[in-house]
Amino acid sequence: MAITLNVAVTAQFGFGRSATQSTEPLQTIIPVKFDPATGGIAVGSTLYNGANPGFHVLAVSRQLNPAHLNAPDILLDQTYNDAASVTNALKAIQQTYTNPTAMVMVNAVGNYGIPLSTVAAALTHFGAYPDLQGINAAPPFIFIGTGGANAQTALQRGVSTRELDGYLAPDSNGYYAFLQTDFVHYDIGLGGTITIGKTTHKSVDAAYKPGCDASASDSLHLLVVDRESPDVVLADNVYCTGQHPELLGSMAIDVSGIGAENQLVFIATNGHPVQADSNFGTNGDVRAPLARQMARLGGYFETVVYLTPSDTYSLIGAPPPVAGTPNARDRAREGSSVYPDKPSGELHGVLARSRGNWYSPLNADTSGLANLGLYDILAQPPTPFPHPVGSDELAAFQYINNALCGATTCNVRNDYNNAAINIGTTYQTPLQGMTKDQSGNDCTDKNNAGLPYCVVRQQLLSEFIDVSNIRALYGNMSELWLASGSTSILSLLSTYNDVKATIPVVATAQSPSLVRPLVSFFLGLAGNIPVVGPAFGLADTAFNLGMDLTTDPKGNRTVDLTSTIGQMQDTAIDHFKAQANSTGTMFALIYQDWGKIDALGSALLSSKDASSPWSWKPGSTTSLMLNNMEPAVKQAAYQSLLGAAYAIGRYLPQTGGSCFGNAAPVWGQTPLYNQPWGYGVLDADFRGCNLGATPVVQPFNSTAAGYIPYTYPTDSTNPYVNDARTGTIMADFSWLAISLQTSPYSGGPNGVYNPPGATLLSTLFTPVSQGGLGVYRPAFFEGWPFPHFDCAPSFGVRSPNNGTYVGGCDWTSGKPPVSLPPPGPTSVSIRATHVSSDQSQAQVLLTLHNNGSVPANAIEITSLSLRTLVGSGEATVVSPSLPAVFNSLAPGDSTDVMVTINIPAGIRKLQIMEQGTADLGQPEPTRFSDGEVIYPGK
């Protein structure tokens, strides 16, 4: 069958309007809807019909077309009923459209007769998951992917017959990406109450609560919902384990039956679910079966095992995905008073679409302070502007537009997202003076309020006020990336260098993104500074939308890609800069929809009140947020860097005798902190025993004097509670330990292994309130960025060299991959790493960094340009004199130069742009440039 690829441009217009009215703003963020009954795919206001049965393939260009920004170019629109035709079509799209690649949408419905396994290979080039290859049936199927995308990055949904919708939005490269904003707000309280969206589920109202009193006290509330539509409840149970500890086992059995990945689990505590007489010395392991199930849902075995009678617990999770699924732990969030700094155990946040169109928790706030209202506003269905309605109001709308922008065909609503136009002075103030219609009727007369002109005028005035307030919020968010006094996200990333100096890293070792953990930690900071805690939720919205839209040219989210240690800081800075730009897309989506403008504008009317959750004072609020982010940046840096120098090994405890024949405990025996002794390694080279005895070595002993185990601060029965030398935790059926990749296979001196130094461990694990970073240890160990490896079994591995039984950890096997440097030169980067200023002068420390693989010679800063953004006056550069010349920088090296700027008193916001050249061995000098914004006097 011949495959015809074409560009079909169809007339587009807004929601519910004719093409000639042009009263809605241009829909540059384009709505998309999949109909699972007909196979149709609506893009903007155009419906591309499918067939039932049929395998509908719609391919669109990812390149925006300036001639019609409200509609993509259509490359293919065809419905098929045989696998060969689908495969040929997908191959043609892949081979024809490469720069940029195309986006493919599939809506297959009815008995279309194409087993998904027969088209899986072709879909792999658009980011499909490998499990398609094993599906020999033709279930309802929706797919959205981009050409050249990494495997397991597409939106791929099977079986479900619910509608699916989202938007086409420009990403950081200016290409279309698919975006979903139908967030769902959740709250897990301490009274056993779970709220999902607008529905509250109380523990006392649960359908199943055996043996509970009227208040369902001291219980665990288990709520299971459909992961695609969380309003559908699948199970609602309460287990009053505080009075009936045996119900912990019953709950574990029930949870073990939750096996489908399309189920989302919520758990809350009402009171204290652990019985009052619980202690580790006698029955600490009674919680182990339930802990094992919580780990399966994405929580941590350790948290549940170490719950005490005074602790609380909460979880959002789901059964594990297929092996190899990227970022599998993103399906869960956990809270407990067991954590360092003793949070209450509640959880608040939003659910967002992820793998399979299923919801997963996007974030978690343990304080309840963060304002998540912006997520709720973005999740609202699109709403058209209420006026003009009818020919008279349309005439009034055109009259006003003609007066404000000089043409009856213009639409002032298209300028809401145009930062070059001051809505207040350009539109609002003139319209306030236009009180009379063409017939002389005055809108200041209340009797004329219902006249078409007055109705439209009042509608536009309300919009102008809303847009001005929304722009102020956008400006405050932009300060996070750009600057607030001497601090910005970009300058905070310099903390990475301080962390790197404490770890023996290899620059070419691969590392995960520094941005992902930082954004994950961000919302949890809200409780640290309650005075501005609500603003963290607003910023978190921008962070997460920015992560979705910051991509590489093939559409892969850059936050999901790895880089090398040497490139990680530059990669993070570049990501945040691109993210700052893509945040404008979120506001463009708001500006084109009346419901979102009205909801956000109305909420921001209260923002001048300091007690309002929408309050965000320019400068001060941002500074407090940024100053509080430094621990999070350090946490993220340690998480991303440690894998380059250290490795995580897993030991499976077994029974073994000591040198003197004493039996050691086995797994599951209490007290829990003694269990590492259950792992023994027979090693005749160890000299701690009498001559002739075959010694047993415990490889996780951190000192010759004995093992320093870790439990939680609440475990008062552990004689080593909170010992700074801790380097190990108990996981499910194993112990996890961290050691340098250079540690000897059989351990260090006298058979003990080499954990990180006490200073590093103390820095990582000491609570923030005590000056540490408060890293949650199970998350640290089990969320390790590279795979764990299994240590050698304790018995049965006979060394061919000396005839002894040898066990231990091959720490070198935990090394991350090493990347070769790029074959050619890249560039020199320049950025401000510190800014200090008063009302009259600023000192800007610029750092030049060679992020390539060849020396950079004859480096010159040729231009330092200044532009006043807010206020009046013209700033001038005092020093250095230009061009500023530097001899050379080896690959990976950097150098600094201080720039001094005189600033007139009238300037409140100033942009500095730097440009320069370097000789990287190419025929022409390589150019580099960058820019920052400073706020004098802050």
Side-chain angles (χ1 to χ4, degrees):
M1 176 178 178
I3 305 300
T4 302
L5 301 177
N6 63 290
V7 176
V9 180
T10 307
Q12 304 284 306
F13 38 86
F15 296 109
R17 305 292 185 189
S18 71
T20 58
Q21 285 178 306
S22 300
T23 61
E24 296 280 328
L26 197 65
Q27 305 285 318
T28 57
I29 315 298
I30 305 168
V32 176
K33 183 178 290 290
F34 290 74
D35 186 334
T38 67
I41 304 173
V43 181
S45 58
T46 299
L47 174 63
Y48 299 93
N49 291 305
N52 188 348
F55 195 100
H56 185 190
V57 178
L58 180 70
V60 304
S61 172
R62 294 179 57 224
Q63 178 74 62
L64 279 66
N65 191 327
H68 46 84
L69 291 173
N70 58 344
D73 289 337
I74 304 302
L75 308 177
L76 175 71
D77 178 21
Q78 187 70 46
T79 299
Y80 304 97
N81 291 101
D82 68 284
S85 296
V86 172
T87 298
N88 290 336
L90 293 174
K91 285 183 177 179
I93 294 167
Q94 174 200 349
Q95 295 169 359
T96 305
Y97 302 102
T98 57
N99 188 24
T101 57
M103 179 182 293
V104 165
M105 304 181 190
V106 173
N107 191 4
V109 300
N111 298 315
Y112 55 89
I114 301 175
L116 293 181
S117 59
T118 62
V119 295
L123 288 171
T124 297
H125 298 288
F126 296 89
Y129 284 73
D131 53 355
L132 276 187
Q133 298 170 11
I135 300 176
N136 297 316
F141 180 65
I142 285 177
F143 180 92
I144 306 170
T146 61
N150 291 340
Q152 306 187 72
T153 57
L155 193 161
Q156 177 180 305
R157 188 192 80 175
V159 181
S160 174
T161 56
R162 296 183 176 92
E163 285 189 347
L164 187 151
D165 54 26
Y167 295 92
L168 293 182
D171 64 13
S172 56
N173 295 293
Y175 301 146
Y176 283 122
F178 185 73
L179 180 69
Q180 292 177 289
T181 63
D182 50 346
F183 306 105
V184 175
H185 195 146
Y186 72 83
D187 297 279
I188 302 179
L190 296 181
T193 299
I194 301 169
T195 301
I196 307 174
K198 297 180 180 179
T199 304
T200 297
H201 306 268
K202 297 180 179 179
S203 56
V204 295
D205 298 330
Y208 175 81
K209 45 182 185 295
C212 292
D213 57 22
S215 301
S217 54
D218 296 329
S219 61
L220 288 163
H221 185 186
L222 169 68
L223 180 71
V224 186
V225 300
D226 184 281
R227 198 170 169 190
E228 190 172 13
S229 298
D231 55 320
V232 177
V233 175
L234 304 176
D236 190 0
N237 299 353
V238 169
Y239 305 84
C240 293
T241 55
Q243 283 74 39
H244 302 282
E246 69 278 5
L247 290 175
L248 288 166
S250 300
M251 182 177 177
I253 293 173
D254 291 346
V255 174
S256 69
I258 303 171
E261 202 182 344
N262 63 350
Q263 296 175 314
L264 191 63
V265 179
F266 291 77
I267 294 176
T269 52
N270 182 15
H272 301 97
V274 176
Q275 69 273 25
D277 62 349
S278 172
N279 65 82
F280 287 96
T282 58
N283 58 2
D285 283 348
V286 71
R287 293 179 290 282
L290 181 61
R292 196 161 295 125
Q293 294 304 320
M294 297 302 100
R296 192 175 62 86
L297 297 175
Y300 297 105
F301 174 88
E302 303 87 336
T303 307
V304 176
V305 163
Y306 284 113
L307 290 175
T308 73
S310 61
D311 284 321
T312 55
Y313 181 76
S314 58
L315 173 78
I316 306 172
V322 295
T325 299
N327 307 310
R329 293 207 73 94
D330 285 353
R331 72 188 190 277
R333 293 291 186 275
E334 186 182 70
S336 176
S337 56
V338 160
Y339 286 13
D341 274 329
K342 304 296 291 181
S344 66
E346 58 190 298
L347 282 178
H348 310 269
V350 294
L351 306 174
R353 299 286 185 182
S354 60
R355 165 178 157 80
N357 203 48
W358 295 318
Y359 278 108
S360 292
L362 180 64
N363 49 27
D365 166 32
T366 58
S367 69
L369 290 175
N371 177 11
L372 302 172
L374 187 51
Y375 283 110
D376 299 331
I377 289 171
L378 290 172
Q380 294 180 166
T383 303
F385 286 75
H387 301 286
V389 174
S391 58
D392 290 340
E393 287 190 8
L394 177 59
F397 183 83
Q398 293 172 339
Y399 172 76
I400 292 173
N401 273 273
N402 183 56
L404 294 179
C405 55
T408 55
T409 57
C410 80
N411 184 348
V412 294
R413 288 168 173 163
N414 286 329
D415 289 335
Y416 292 166
N417 196 40
N418 185 350
I421 293 180
N422 186 312
I423 294 295
T425 57
T426 305
Y427 294 147
Q428 182 181 343
T429 299
L431 185 56
Q432 286 172 335
M434 295 168 54
T435 60
K436 296 180 180 180
D437 66 11
Q438 291 170 291
S439 300
N441 298 304
D442 196 331
C443 295
T444 60
D445 184 344
K446 294 181 180 179
N447 295 322
N448 294 331
L451 295 177
Y453 174 86
C454 298
V455 169
V456 173
R457 174 180 177 273
Q458 184 56 48
Q459 172 68 30
L460 288 173
L461 285 174
S462 298
E463 292 174 24
F464 296 160
I465 294 171
D466 287 344
V467 169
S468 294
N469 287 329
I470 293 170
R471 283 189 175 187
L473 175 63
Y474 182 22
N476 289 336
M477 286 186 177
S478 298
E479 282 192 6
L480 280 172
W481 289 276
L482 299 176
S484 178
S486 61
T487 309
S488 70
I489 286 178
L490 302 185
S491 66
L492 279 174
L493 292 176
S494 64
T495 300
Y496 157 88
N497 291 316
D498 299 333
V499 173
K500 188 170 69 169
T502 68
I503 300 173
V505 296
V506 178
T508 54
Q510 286 191 14
S511 174
S513 167
L514 180 61
V515 177
R516 173 180 280 277
L518 177 55
V519 173
S520 297
F521 295 146
F522 181 75
L523 196 66
L525 301 174
N528 295 349
I529 42 175
V531 65
V532 297
F536 279 86
L538 304 178
D540 190 70
T541 316
F543 279 149
N544 281 292
L545 263 293
M547 282 177 60
D548 282 341
L549 293 172
T550 303
T551 64
D552 70 2
K554 293 183 179 179
N556 300 297
R557 296 199 316 171
T558 58
V559 75
D560 294 328
L561 306 178
T562 60
S563 63
T564 64
I565 295 296
Q567 298 171 337
M568 186 166 61
Q569 183 187 21
D570 285 337
T571 299
I573 290 174
D574 291 341
H575 178 99
F576 274 116
K577 284 190 173 183
Q579 190 179 56
N581 294 332
S582 62
T583 300
T585 302
M586 176 178 72
F587 285 88
L589 174 61
I590 293 171
Y591 292 139
Q592 70 182 35
D593 180 78
W594 165 243
K596 295 176 178 61
I597 288 178
D598 185 45
L600 182 55
S602 299
L604 291 174
L605 287 175
S606 67
S607 62
K608 295 181 180 179
D609 181 354
S611 63
S612 167
W614 295 91
S615 176
W616 188 329
K617 295 181 179 178
S620 60
T621 298
T622 311
S623 294
L624 285 171
M625 294 169 69
L626 288 166
N627 290 338
N628 199 62
M629 281 181 64
E630 186 170 350
V633 176
K634 288 183 177 179
Q635 285 187 39
Y638 275 115
Q639 181 170 317
S640 298
L641 282 168
L642 278 167
Y646 291 88
I648 297 286
R650 180 193 294 111
Y651 276 110
L652 306 180
Q654 300 177 30
T655 301
S658 70
C659 295
F660 307 102
N662 298 321
V666 296
W667 180 258
Q669 188 170 329
T670 55
L672 296 176
Y673 57 79
N674 273 345
Q675 290 189 10
W677 290 94
Y679 183 85
V681 176
L682 288 172
D683 188 352
D685 292 332
F686 179 65
R687 303 305 177 191
C689 293
N690 295 330
L691 184 65
T694 301
V696 176
V697 178
Q698 285 75 39
F700 280 178
N701 282 358
S702 58
T703 68
Y707 177 76
I708 305 297
Y710 168 69
T711 55
Y712 288 87
T714 51
D715 182 6
S716 59
T717 65
N718 182 358
Y720 308 107
V721 61
N722 277 344
D723 192 295
R725 294 170 293 175
T726 297
T728 309
I729 63 167
M730 184 188 71
D732 185 15
F733 285 122
S734 67
W735 283 87
L736 302 178
I738 178 174
S739 191
L740 284 168
Q741 295 162 8
T742 55
S743 294
Y745 181 87
S746 294
N750 296 324
V752 301
Y753 86 115
N754 302 319
T759 300
L760 175 57
L761 291 174
S762 179
T763 299
L764 288 172
F765 300 140
T766 300
V768 174
S769 62
Q770 300 174 29
L773 296 181
V775 174
Y776 177 40
R777 295 184 214 198
F780 173 83
F781 278 82
E782 299 199 33
W784 195 249
F786 299 104
H788 302 157
F789 64 92
D790 287 329
C791 298
S794 56
F795 303 107
V797 180
R798 189 174 181 84
S799 169
N801 298 323
N802 54 23
T804 60
Y805 288 94
V806 178
C809 295
D810 181 10
W811 298 104
T812 60
S813 67
K815 288 183 178 180
V818 174
S819 293
L820 295 175
T826 50
S827 67
V828 171
S829 65
I830 180 171
R831 52 181 50 93
T833 54
H834 183 76
V835 180
S836 61
S837 66
D838 54 30
Q839 287 291 1
S840 61
Q841 197 169 80
Q843 303 286 335
V844 181
L845 182 66
L846 298 178
T847 297
L848 289 84
H849 181 254
N850 181 0
N851 56 18
S853 59
V854 299
N857 300 311
I859 305 170
E860 294 186 359
I861 297 178
T862 57
S863 170
L864 292 169
S865 58
L866 306 174
R867 185 164 71 98
T868 300
L869 299 179
V870 177
S872 59
E874 184 175 346
T876 56
V877 176
V878 177
S879 64
S881 57
L882 299 178
V885 180
F886 307 88
N887 290 330
S888 65
L889 286 176
D893 281 355
S894 61
T895 189
D896 296 329
V897 59
M898 184 68 73
V899 177
T900 302
I901 304 170
N902 280 343
I903 305 173
I907 297 179
R908 301 196 304 276
K909 185 175 181 181
L910 179 70
Q911 182 181 49
I912 175 173
M913 295 293 295
E914 312 96 17
Q915 293 182 334
T917 62
D919 179 4
L920 299 179
Q922 299 297 296
E924 296 292 333
T926 299
R927 298 182 180 275
F928 56 87
S929 64
D930 218 310
E932 290 75 34
V933 173
I934 59 177
Y935 295 77
K938 293 184 181 179

